[in-house]
Amino acid sequence: THLLKLSKAGFDRLVDRHPETAVQLARMLVTRLDQTLHAGGRASPPVTLAVVPLDASRAPAVATAELAAELAALGPTVHLASAVVDGALGPGAAQTRHLDPDNARLVDWLSEREARHRFVLYETDATPTAWTQRCLRQADRVLVLSRAGPPPPLGELEAALWREMEWPAVPRELVLLHEASIRPGADVREWLRAPRRFAMHHHVRAGVRADFQRLARMLTGRAIGVVLGGGGARAFAHIGVLRALGEAGVPIDLIGGTSMGAVLAAQHAAGWDYPTMLEANRKAFVLSGSLFDYTLPLMSLIGGQRFVRMFMRMFGETHIEDLPLKYFCVSTDLTRGEARVHETGHLARWLSASVCVPGLAPPVFDEGNLLVDGSVLDTVPAGVMRRFGRGPIVAVDVTAREDVRVDPSYRWPPSAWRILWSRLNPLARRIQAPSIYTILLRTTMLSSMSAVERLAGEVDLYIHPPVERFDLLDWRSLDRLAELGYETASRKIAEWRGGAGFAG
């Protein structure tokens, strides 16, 4: 492909001297528009990726070859490095510069490769050579590939990459190559600091095919994104949904959630399996006693420290960017009146914000702002997942359309003492009345219910387990809720596959 840049003044002079140029250009634009409107099932343009290795060892080259192999499993793929070009066109051909007389020959050869393949993987040199610059110009997306560990100082190649403003719309993403396991640490945070400005980062383990398959899906719009909604104890149904997705062979490539959905999404992103999730949540929410540490009700009814300690026991000092899977959680910024999406930072801290029911627990303070439960604005954050643009979305909704019912015989609420007496006296008729936590949690979720109503038509797979018969605080129904989620999701996944919604 040849691209000519012409200033407005230059174009005006061209049209003045050769008026027929404007007519021909208009015809060409009409033809292109007609082709676009009537393209039908015509093949889409190739996906072009440029891999920039920052490591002098063979590890990045091997990893690039592994990625190329997984791309080839998705469609016709060509892996182009300078040695490949030199082998086809002669020594030094890859280093042909833009103004060189032989440039047209190289451009035509590369254009032919792109026309024949769905995926084109350009591998740059280790230095900013002419071939490296060409790779970066050709790419729709740039991958900076390095072995995991502390980032090196900005070398000549990477410094040029971040200085270069010729391709501002081309995202740069980081791929960290791990040896055996993905371990949390401060190194990832160092990679994400300025002047580096990665749009996303990926963890892969050397030689682990599943990791490279996930990376290939993430780079080609085939990744499965799962969002888990908030809903108190009802969110335990998510555990069964995740089990059903795994058993059906539906890969989860990125995951996020709100409130209790965020907690369970984080557990999955950390690599917890079904038995581990059941055991850990039973210990945290059923066997460990009440999480409500009541306090002087100035900002809230409880102090919230038991929740914080629970999340610290679960995740320790793990940061979101350390998790093997791409993950996010959502809180609500009361100060600014907007949703806050957390993709980096201390996991336990942001989970504390995402589950913080306003009025019940104190807000999380963040640089002068107050953060509370994400369900205030976004109970099932499918829109956040959609903005990543990585592929199909599975949304799991555990809200109840009708909730928090009371005894219909009462026109006015009975006194708190009378309600308490009905619960302490085994002979008295128990008064059906919701707790203050249930009222606050339901109120928190109402503002985003209209968005939830539209959700089924906006995602690829919508799963809504019938959780209405379970109370928002029914933590002891962990196993029944997980089983309900599993059964519901199994049916929905089978229907989805029957309708060719999933091509896995």
Side-chain angles (χ1 to χ4, degrees):
T1 301
H2 298 274
L3 179 64
L4 177 65
K5 183 177 181 181
L6 196 64
S7 68
K8 182 180 183 301
F11 179 75
D12 290 340
R13 288 194 298 271
L14 177 65
V15 172
D16 286 341
R17 295 176 184 175
H18 306 280
E20 68 277 8
T21 303
V23 177
Q24 292 297 328
L25 181 60
R27 288 175 177 170
M28 183 182 70
L29 292 174
V30 170
T31 301
R32 289 286 181 89
L33 180 60
D34 182 70
Q35 290 174 346
T36 301
L37 294 175
H38 299 89
R42 188 172 300 171
S44 56
V47 175
T48 55
L49 306 167
V51 177
V52 181
L54 294 189
D55 195 316
S57 71
R58 278 191 47 78
V62 173
T64 303
E66 290 185 84
L67 174 58
E70 297 309 330
L71 288 172
L74 300 177
T77 300
V78 61
H79 177 190
L80 298 174
S82 56
V84 175
V85 176
D86 289 350
L89 301 180
Q95 306 305 334
T96 302
R97 297 192 175 276
H98 182 63
L99 298 179
D100 193 290
D102 288 334
N103 182 60
R105 177 170 173 251
L106 175 56
V107 168
D108 290 342
W109 188 85
L110 293 176
S111 297
E112 185 180 357
R113 307 276 92 64
E114 290 191 5
R116 291 181 178 180
H117 297 87
R118 182 71 185 91
F119 307 112
V120 181
L121 189 62
Y122 288 98
E123 183 179 349
T124 73
D125 296 328
T127 56
T129 63
W131 170 250
T132 294
Q133 295 300 321
R134 188 179 297 273
C135 292
L136 298 178
R137 285 197 301 270
Q138 294 290 112
D140 301 318
R141 192 182 305 273
V142 175
L143 304 179
V144 175
L145 176 60
S146 176
R147 286 190 297 182
L154 283 183
E156 185 182 5
L157 173 57
E158 197 184 2
L161 177 66
W162 294 116
R163 268 198 321 268
E164 183 58 66
M165 296 304 293
E166 185 177 347
W167 327 285
V170 176
R172 286 85 157 167
E173 300 185 8
L174 173 66
V175 180
L176 290 175
L177 184 62
H178 299 257
E179 290 298 328
S181 61
I182 300 171
R183 298 178 180 178
D187 296 337
V188 180
R189 298 189 282 285
E190 292 296 324
W191 277 103
L192 302 182
R193 289 179 179 169
R196 295 178 172 99
R197 302 180 301 279
F198 293 109
M200 188 176 286
H201 69 281
H202 312 268
H203 296 283
V204 296
R205 291 164 293 177
V208 178
R209 187 181 180 191
D211 288 5
F212 285 91
Q213 289 174 327
R214 180 178 70 247
L215 179 60
R217 291 190 296 268
M218 291 284 283
L219 298 172
T220 59
R222 290 166 166 79
I224 304 292
V226 175
V227 286
L228 306 181
R234 293 167 177 162
F236 286 149
H238 292 317
I239 302 174
V241 172
L242 295 172
R243 174 190 169 195
L245 289 169
E247 291 184 1
V250 179
I252 299 176
D253 299 308
L254 56 169
I255 191 168
T258 294
S259 198
M260 270 297 291
V263 177
L264 298 166
Q267 293 174 359
H268 180 84
W272 295 15
D273 59 14
Y274 180 74
T276 302
M277 292 181 72
L278 282 179
E279 180 182 353
N281 287 294
R282 192 186 325 280
K283 182 178 180 180
F285 292 97
V286 180
L287 303 179
S288 297
S290 175
L291 291 170
F292 292 174
D293 48 345
Y294 292 99
T295 186
L296 190 64
L298 296 178
M299 281 195 304
S300 60
L301 295 176
I302 66 174
Q305 289 306 304
R306 292 183 186 174
F307 277 94
V308 175
R309 288 194 293 270
M310 176 189 67
F311 292 141
M312 287 298 297
R313 286 192 296 270
M314 284 184 179
F315 303 108
E317 295 297 333
T318 297
H319 280 231
I320 292 175
E321 55 268 35
D322 298 327
L323 296 171
L325 288 186
K326 172 64 182 176
Y327 167 84
F328 69 88
C329 64
V330 178
S331 66
T332 299
D333 189 329
L334 280 184
T335 306
R336 296 180 178 272
E338 61 187 22
R340 183 87 73 85
V341 181
H342 305 282
E343 299 180 63
T344 61
H346 192 244
L347 178 58
R349 173 175 171 78
W350 297 139
L351 286 177
S352 298
S354 189
V355 304
C356 175
V357 177
L360 178 75
V364 171
F365 289 17
D366 181 52
E367 298 181 351
N369 295 351
L370 303 179
L371 305 184
V372 298
D373 198 309
S375 291
V376 172
L377 292 178
D378 202 354
T379 298
V380 188
V384 177
M385 186 68 76
R386 190 180 305 110
R387 287 195 291 274
F388 292 135
R390 298 292 170 152
I393 298 173
V394 178
V396 190
D397 171 20
V398 291
T399 60
R401 299 301 181 264
E402 291 188 11
D403 207 354
V404 197
R405 303 191 66 84
V406 296
D407 190 328
S409 64
Y410 288 98
R411 296 185 60 193
W412 299 98
S415 69
W417 294 111
R418 188 174 176 186
I419 295 173
L420 179 62
W421 176 248
S422 76
R423 296 178 181 179
L424 295 177
N425 184 0
L427 302 179
R429 182 172 69 91
R430 184 181 178 87
I431 297 175
Q432 181 185 346
S435 68
I436 187 171
Y437 174 79
T438 302
I439 293 173
L440 289 172
L441 183 55
R442 177 63 174 174
T443 303
T444 295
M445 299 167 63
L446 278 181
S447 60
S448 57
M449 285 298 291
S450 59
V452 172
E453 294 287 350
R454 300 190 300 269
L455 198 58
E458 297 176 349
V459 298
D460 299 271
L461 175 59
Y462 173 71
I463 301 174
H464 183 209
V467 294
E468 288 82 357
R469 68 179 184 271
F470 296 94
D471 188 83
L472 287 164
L473 293 177
D474 192 2
W475 309 108
R476 295 187 177 277
S477 292
L478 165 66
D479 294 282
R480 287 195 294 156
L481 281 160
E483 187 62 27
L484 177 63
Y486 174 75
E487 294 173 354
T488 304
S490 296
R491 291 194 301 271
K492 294 294 291 185
I493 294 168
E495 295 171 5
W496 189 36
R497 281 183 152 167
F502 171 60

